[in-house]
Amino acid sequence: MRKRSESEPRRLLALYLGDHLAGATAGLELMRRIARQHRGGPAAARLARLAAEAEEDRDALREVMTALDLPLSSGRAALGWLGEKAGRLKLNGRLLSRSPLSDAVELEAMRLGVEGKADCRRSLQAVADTDPRIDRGRIDARLAGARHQSDVLGMLRTEATDRVFAGLAPRTAVRTARGRR
């Protein structure tokens, strides 16, 4: 069995946080775009605040990586940025314009991203317990912020799906024992 060098955990942490930085970059781009799409609408203030918080969270992650003297891979961040742009090409029922479903899908994706961000903060809590270069209180605050962001995104997603699927009639067919209608 190969013995792990002391630098192996550091290398793995750098990879892990680099991947989260790429995700934070993609999430920030998506959140900014969602906020722009809804400028002047009823959710505009909430979306603008979420975009600002996403930027603060990305910057806080960069600060942690700098404090730990880990490399800030601009290549990974660029891939995150590019990934968000490529995500716009998804099939949404329309070729050249936004579908009413776009809001629901994008808000759902953002909520999943925020859950990943919260998991990263939980991992950083464990690192902060043994490394004084990380401010545990700041990590705790960022985790609380992620929980709030998830709640807001969940409400906005529900509002979006209610708008999209409002015309559906309730199903009245009864399932058989085999699960068929």
Side-chain angles (χ1 to χ4, degrees), residues 2-178:
R2 189 178 124 203
K3 183 180 175 184
R4 284 192 341 178
S5 70
E6 286 188 33
S7 64
E8 181 74 357
R10 178 180 161 71
R11 185 181 72 76
L12 295 174
L13 182 61
L15 288 170
Y16 177 75
L17 295 181
D19 286 347
H20 274 278
L21 182 58
T25 300
L28 174 58
E29 288 299 311
L30 177 57
M31 200 62 242
R32 285 176 174 164
R33 185 164 56 83
I34 293 170
R36 277 192 311 271
Q37 290 288 332
H38 292 274
R39 203 174 292 149
R46 291 181 287 177
L47 291 167
R49 182 68 204 141
L50 287 170
E53 290 173 7
E55 185 170 11
E56 292 166 7
D57 287 337
R58 187 212 44 203
D59 292 347
L61 181 56
R62 283 181 175 165
E63 290 170 13
V64 166
M65 293 176 74
T66 299
L68 294 173
D69 197 29
L70 298 174
L72 297 172
S73 171
S74 58
R76 270 197 159 93
L79 285 175
W81 181 87
L82 187 60
E84 187 280 328
K85 305 303 181 222
R88 296 179 186 192
L89 300 175
K90 67 189 170 299
L91 298 175
N92 63 5
R94 295 197 179 158
L95 187 57
L96 299 175
S97 64
R98 284 179 61 81
S99 162
L101 190 56
S102 295
D103 288 343
V105 171
E106 290 170 352
L107 291 165
E108 199 168 289
M110 278 305 307
R111 189 165 186 217
L112 290 171
V114 167
E115 291 301 321
K117 175 173 41 179
D119 285 341
C120 179
R121 297 315 187 258
R122 287 182 196 97
S123 296
L124 285 173
Q125 285 175 322
V127 175
D129 288 343
T130 60
D131 194 324
R133 296 175 294 176
I134 300 177
D135 181 348
R136 172 68 190 248
R138 188 149 188 232
I139 299 299
D140 293 347
R142 288 283 164 207
L143 178 56
R147 289 183 191 121
H148 175 73
Q149 292 165 14
S150 181
D151 291 344
V152 171
L153 287 163
M155 287 185 292
L156 291 169
R157 187 206 61 82
T158 298
E159 291 169 11
T161 56
D162 286 351
R163 283 190 306 273
V164 171
F165 304 127
L168 288 178
R171 294 183 181 238
T172 56
V174 178
R175 290 182 177 259
T176 65
R178 295 182 131 175

